[in-house]
Amino acid sequence: MTTITDLEAPEARDVRRLAEELEIRTGAWIDGAYAEAASSETFAKINPATGVEIAQVAAGDTEDVDRAVRGARAAFESGVWSRSAPRQRKKVLTRFAALIEDHADELALLETIDMGKPIRDARRVDVPLAAQCIAYYGEAVDKVYDEVAPTDPSAVVMIRREPLGVVGAVVPWNFPLMMASWKIGPALATGNSVVLKPAEQSPLTALRVAELGAEAGLPDGVLQVVPGFGETAGQAIGRHPDVDMITFTGSTEVGKLFLRYSGESNMKRVALECGGKSPHVVLEDCGDLEAAAQAVAWGVFYNQGEVCNAGSRLLVHESVREALLERVVAVAGKIRPGDPLDPKTRMGAIVDDRQLERVLGYIETGRSEGAELHLGGSRVLEETGGYFVEPTIFDAVSNEMTIAREEIFGPVLSTISFTDDAEALAIANDTIYGLAAAVWTSDVTKAHRWGRDLRAGVVWVNTFDAGDITSPFGGFKQSGFGRDKSIHALEKFTDLKAIWINVG
Ligand code: NAD
């Protein structure tokens, strides 16, 4: 098969042809093989850029989750992975990462037809970062030491980190492969077995990657993938008495359900990466309005605005508001929605018709609550059958309006102006969320002060959405708890055990 990288300057038609040649895996991956759902039920997977069905995927439910957990438990108890030498796990995970890279074109194409993101981003960002994440945890795991407690010399107390057992990973559709890799990388590296449930909107890359994991040498049962709906398969994992931990990324609403599932079942550990309504603050002394405008526009329009940490609230000092907005509109003008399979496209399709209606509903609410529509505001390219929304900017927004309080998860920017920095800080922090925040200033003291005072898990100064695998990611407040990425992610997939040995 020709690959995207074989083509010097791939044209949309070449990429579309490659997409048509894709072989799509549709079964659950359990104990090293694809399987139909026990009920034989399937669900339609629609390409959001065309509205056309591309596959029928196994609709996993309680029985399938049960089977997957049993297999994962058996693998864990056998010790084939959980008690293997860290360097052995490193070897397999490094190979796994290399296989993801080798299949980067295929995975990027799957991601694009599955959830509508531009092929350019899937190929350059999502797939390479997923591979990098798996490799990072593989490489890390034989460099982490346990501890010996500084007790009285009559004892040797080893403080060991042990894997938890069976980890349920439930992930969203906006960065399907990347979110899955943030979970399975550290969970597998520490010796756990994983039952992964991709979002029903975007199961395709997870199903393919499971097979690559097996090819890399993951023993059967160590990585299971059960596609299906949240209320059925997701809930079954959340309530399963033999799942030791849930690592979840998704909405705050569903995150709270997982806390309930845990409390009503076996008190499994829960780590949550939930929603956001991130403030992107531009102070009067912002040194570079051009750079800030680029960051503001890409910070909310990238990935169709379907980004948990999207800078969806622009807080701008009144004195620079007009100049900044003019520049943001100019950048937004270059981010026109288009066919995600066209390598030139910078903004793709909204994931499904439900999300499309949700985004358009918020735009309507913004208008009716008195915000001024400054740019966009409409569904576009309807003739394609796909779900496209143009970059949309509201001005004259107050922080009390619905569009400033609720996560829209679409390409909609709400502009709030201020004249006083203290007032801006209060507005920035006046949200139930605390995933990320950013501030633009040329004053180093202010940069530090805002870095300290913004209540968010990640704060950017004079940039937006910067990060790499070495930097922890996760939220304060109702954006969740627990951190993905970085060496700290290893902690939550292990339990501390103190072994007290009396040496007299
Ligand atoms: P969602 O909460 O609807 O779904 C996430 C996952 O939970 C899916 O796999 C879904 O099937 C499952 N689920 C849904 N209902 C469930 C239920 N009743 N019981 C058990 N499982 C259930 O979120 P989404 O719409 O897929 O994704 C968008 C959300 O994800 C946004 O709120 C976004 O902010 C958040 N997100 C957060 C991060 C982060 O790192 N903090 C990253 C990406 C996305």
Side-chain angles (χ1 to χ4, degrees), residues 60-137:
D61 202 337
T62 311
E63 215 178 316
D64 308 285
V65 166
D66 243 357
R67 219 188 116 206
V69 173
R70 258 198 319 277
R73 172 63 59 193
F76 184 79
E77 296 302 335
S78 77
V80 60
W81 181 253
S82 55
R83 285 198 291 276
S84 62
R87 72 171 175 282
Q88 168 61 16
R89 278 180 258 141
K90 172 170 87 173
K91 206 163 133 193
V92 173
L93 291 176
T94 309
R95 210 181 294 143
F96 190 7
L99 281 171
I100 292 176
E101 281 194 346
D102 291 349
H103 293 80
D105 281 349
E106 180 192 354
L107 291 167
L109 288 164
L110 283 172
E111 202 81 308
T112 289
I113 61 168
D114 208 8
M115 61 69 66
K117 74 170 63 209
I119 186 70
R120 174 192 166 106
D121 298 334
R123 181 64 184 80
R124 289 192 189 181
V125 181
D126 294 59
V127 178
L129 290 186
Q132 203 185 90
C133 173
I134 305 278
Y136 175 86
Y137 290 106

Side-chain angles (χ1 to χ4, degrees), residues 99-249:
L99 281 171
I100 292 176
E101 281 194 346
D102 291 349
H103 293 80
D105 281 349
E106 180 192 354
L107 291 167
L109 288 164
L110 283 172
E111 202 81 308
T112 289
I113 61 168
D114 208 8
M115 61 69 66
K117 74 170 63 209
I119 186 70
R120 174 192 166 106
D121 298 334
R123 181 64 184 80
R124 289 192 189 181
V125 181
D126 294 59
V127 178
L129 290 186
Q132 203 185 90
C133 173
I134 305 278
Y136 175 86
Y137 290 106
E139 288 157 7
V141 76
D142 67 346
K143 294 161 192 76
V144 183
Y145 288 73
D146 286 335
E147 298 166 359
V148 175
T151 57
D152 182 277
S154 62
V156 174
V157 179
M158 296 183 291
I159 303 175
R160 304 203 48 187
R161 285 204 167 269
E162 296 196 346
L164 297 170
V166 177
V167 171
V170 179
V171 296
W173 45 259
N174 58 341
F175 293 95
L177 186 56
M178 222 200 299
M179 293 302 109
S181 70
W182 287 8
K183 313 298 189 193
I184 64 181
L188 292 177
T190 42
N192 297 282
S193 297
V194 176
V195 177
L196 169 68
K197 193 201 85 63
E200 50 272 41
Q201 296 87 344
S202 60
L204 302 185
T205 46
L207 293 172
R208 177 66 176 114
V209 151
E211 195 181 25
L212 296 179
E215 197 180 325
L218 283 177
D220 291 354
V222 168
L223 175 59
Q224 318 269 52
V225 182
V226 183
F229 292 97
E231 296 76 10
T232 53
Q235 176 158 198
I237 297 174
R239 290 189 181 278
H240 203 289
D242 206 25
V243 168
D244 299 286
M245 181 205 179
I246 290 290
T247 172
F248 168 81
T249 295

Side-chain angles (χ1 to χ4, degrees), residues 339-411:
D339 177 2
L341 287 172
D342 184 337
K344 293 186 199 70
T345 294
R346 303 304 304 270
M347 182 190 260
I350 300 290
V351 73
D352 62 11
D353 50 354
R354 219 175 110 218
Q355 185 64 14
L356 173 77
E357 288 312 319
R358 198 178 134 87
V359 173
L360 295 175
Y362 274 115
I363 293 173
E364 197 38 54
T365 305
R367 277 199 181 111
S368 66
E369 289 184 4
E372 282 170 23
L373 190 60
H374 191 77
L375 182 77
S378 302
R379 177 178 184 181
V380 291
L381 301 173
E382 211 169 330
E383 66 284 4
T384 61
Y387 317 124
F388 297 90
V389 176
E390 58 189 337
T392 295
I393 301 176
F394 278 107
D395 195 5
V397 175
S398 91
N399 204 44
E400 279 63 51
M401 290 180 187
T402 309
I403 55 169
R405 303 211 77 77
E406 296 183 14
E407 185 178 41
I408 299 175
F409 228 56

